[in-house]
Amino acid sequence: MTGSTRILVTGHNGYIGSVMVPLLQCAGYEVVGLDTGYFRGCTLGASTTSVPAISKDLRAIEPSDLAGIEAVIHLAALSNDPIGNLNPNWTREINAEGTVRLAEMAKAAGVRRFLFSSSCIMYGMSEASVVDETAPLAPQTEYARSKVVAEEALRAMADDRFSPVYCRNGTVYGFSPRMRFDTVLNNFMGSAFTTGRVEVHSDGTPWRPVVHVEDVARYFRLMLEAPRGDVHNEAFNMGVDSLNLQVREIAEIAAEAVPGAQLVLMPQPGADQRTYRADFTKFSRTFPNFEFRWTARKGAQDLYQALCSIALRHEDFTDKRFTRLRWLNHLLETRALDDNLHWQIEQQNVA
Ligand SMILES: NC(=O)c1ccc[n+]([C@@H]2O[C@H](COP(=O)([O-])OP(=O)(O)OC[C@H]3O[C@@H](n4cnc5c(N)ncnc54)[C@H](O)[C@@H]3O)[C@@H](O)[C@H]2O)c1
């Protein structure tokens, strides 16, 4: 699969999609987006690329939405644990059932490759020191469970004509026009930049694989173009070992990237101790020529430059538009969204 292929990118108006779509367009792909636009107005700094798009809830797609599509990159989801805890049904319906329905329609429409944006979080609190793709899945949250359920259902659909691929991402960071400050390194950087402090509310020992959003966009392209035999019905932990870091190291990197910033350790009982250290051997063995362009240190320095160029203010950093849970809560409280997370009022009117 190469440029000029028509591909559907769901969730194209999100944090990752807003970086991925221009990269795919530059590579010659004809991109069609599909997004309900929960975060459409949540932009920071740079303008977003426009793309022909279907403005629709994933739960309402129809076979005609897939007409002429050759591959799907499926990013659309409620994208973290706190939203899953708010109402587990939404995460089940959108992330698991919505994915299965989309994949069934895609397969029926003749889509050959279906890239599913999954997560290393499905390994849960692993006892094993490192987890490869064969490690038992121990999802601890509704969000993590939704990724497991979706992967299992997609696996059963794989055949000669339909190749699902399970891209298990670490925690993504880096600048995006639809910025999130609710992922670990982005949050530390925003705090370092606007307060001069990076606070770690745990003992800092849990492991997190982190990956730069531009490398994420690049490896999804790699997965589109890889020979079918390398990726058909395969799960990959997406990364390299140097991207496995302890939260304390991530905080140090953020503090070092921002001149004058200080690291403050504030261990608290009951702090988030989820830990998983991903084994990336399968990815590097299958794709020996793919290079991750960003180390966490280099990526943090680049993010610092991006935050300087938009002169990020503290009120931007703490604005609800850049924390997924808070923004969805705002849409619910203002009745822009109903109790099933469907729009009640015109999206243009939502400030
Ligand atoms: N960002 C990370 O650190 C990370 C890590 C691992 C996996 N992932 C996965 O990657 C994908 C993209 O993540 P992101 O950070 O860009 O998330 P995001 O929240 O920024 O974007 C998700 C997009 O999906 C759309 N969406 C949500 N529900 C929808 C629905 N019912 N119908 C149509 N569109 C809907 C939203 O409007 C949004 O534009 C998600 O599947 C997420 O689970 C992200």
Side-chain angles (χ1 to χ4, degrees):
M1 213 163 285
T2 51
S4 85
T5 305
R6 191 172 155 85
I7 58 176
L8 181 74
V9 179
T10 72
H12 73 289
N13 281 333
Y15 169 69
I16 296 173
S18 299
V19 173
M20 183 184 290
V21 165
L23 183 137
L24 292 171
Q25 286 176 319
C26 279
Y29 285 95
E30 188 187 339
V31 179
V32 179
L34 186 146
D35 203 302
T36 193
Y38 289 145
F39 311 108
R40 181 171 297 165
C42 301
T43 53
L44 183 67
S47 60
T48 51
T49 319
S50 77
V51 59
I54 303 163
S55 186
K56 202 180 248 191
D57 194 296
L58 183 62
R59 295 166 288 181
I61 53 155
E62 298 155 83
S64 57
D65 295 325
L66 277 305
I69 298 293
E70 288 158 77
V72 172
I73 298 181
H74 181 39
L75 302 175
L78 298 178
S79 57
N80 64 17
D81 290 334
I83 304 171
N85 297 340
L86 190 64
N87 183 335
N89 289 336
W90 296 335
T91 292
R92 264 197 299 274
E93 275 178 24
I94 295 173
N95 294 13
E97 293 160 25
T99 296
V100 177
R101 197 161 164 272
L102 172 70
E104 283 168 350
M105 285 186 198
K107 185 174 173 179
V111 167
R112 300 191 71 81
R113 196 163 294 187
F114 187 96
L115 307 185
F116 178 55
S117 189
S118 193
S119 173
C120 287
I121 202 145
M122 55 171 44
Y123 298 116
M125 267 218 265
S126 181
E127 303 268 312
S129 56
V130 284
V131 281
D132 68 12
E133 292 81 354
T134 63
L137 302 177
Q140 307 285 310
T141 61
E142 201 55 50
Y143 170 69
R145 256 188 302 280
S146 75
K147 296 293 185 187
V148 173
V149 170
E151 279 199 17
E152 279 171 0
L154 292 173
R155 204 171 294 283
M157 292 170 61
D159 63 16
D160 289 351
R161 293 174 300 112
F162 185 69
S163 298
V165 187
Y166 319 109
C167 305
R168 296 180 181 169
N169 304 288
T171 300
V172 187
Y173 75 96
F175 191 78
S176 162
R178 287 212 176 70
M179 193 60 182
R180 291 181 60 174
F181 283 118
D182 56 4
T183 65
V184 61
L185 185 44
N186 284 356
N187 182 270
F188 286 160
M189 284 297 296
S191 176
F193 193 86
T194 61
T195 70
R197 284 165 66 92
V198 181
E199 291 179 4
V200 178
H201 298 273
S202 73
D203 65 4
T205 56
W207 290 89
R208 288 284 177 281
V210 293
V211 62
H212 193 281
V213 65
E214 189 193 281
D215 279 335
V216 175
R218 290 175 58 244
Y219 65 56
F220 268 89
R221 181 183 166 196
L222 177 78
M223 293 288 152
L224 271 184
E225 296 175 1
R228 177 181 178 277
D230 286 350
V231 296
H232 173 76
N233 206 14
E234 293 289 341
F236 292 95
N237 293 342
M238 313 296 275
V240 283
D241 194 41
S242 56
L243 297 175
N244 274 315
L245 298 169
Q246 285 179 291
V247 170
R248 187 193 168 121
E249 290 177 89
I250 299 172
E252 281 165 2
I253 287 169
E256 282 165 21
V258 178
Q262 281 184 336
L263 172 62
V264 185
L265 291 174
M266 307 169 80
Q268 285 175 1
D272 182 1
Q273 287 297 107
R274 290 170 308 153
T275 189
Y276 47 97
R277 194 169 169 192
D279 181 317
F280 297 111
T281 311
K282 181 175 174 183
F283 182 88
S284 54
R285 198 180 53 232
T286 314
F287 307 105
N289 296 325
F290 183 86
E291 278 180 30
F292 284 82
R293 290 206 181 131
W294 299 95
T295 62
R297 191 159 266 107
K298 196 172 140 208
Q301 285 159 0
D302 181 73
L303 183 50
Y304 171 69
Q305 293 302 333
L307 299 183
C308 285
S309 72
I310 58 163
L312 183 80
R313 299 166 306 170
H314 189 247
E315 57 264 42
D316 300 323
F317 169 55
T318 54
D319 193 301
K320 54 184 170 299
R321 289 178 301 146
F322 308 119
T323 297
R324 293 297 180 245
L325 174 66
R326 287 180 59 213
W327 181 252
L328 282 182
N329 262 328
H330 166 74
L331 296 178
L332 287 160
E333 280 159 18
T334 53
R335 307 301 297 158
L337 292 176
D338 69 16
D339 292 343
N340 290 316
L341 240 47
H342 289 291
W343 289 103
Q344 298 213 110
I345 60 172
E346 286 296 316
Q347 295 163 51
Q348 300 85 290
N349 298 337
V350 180

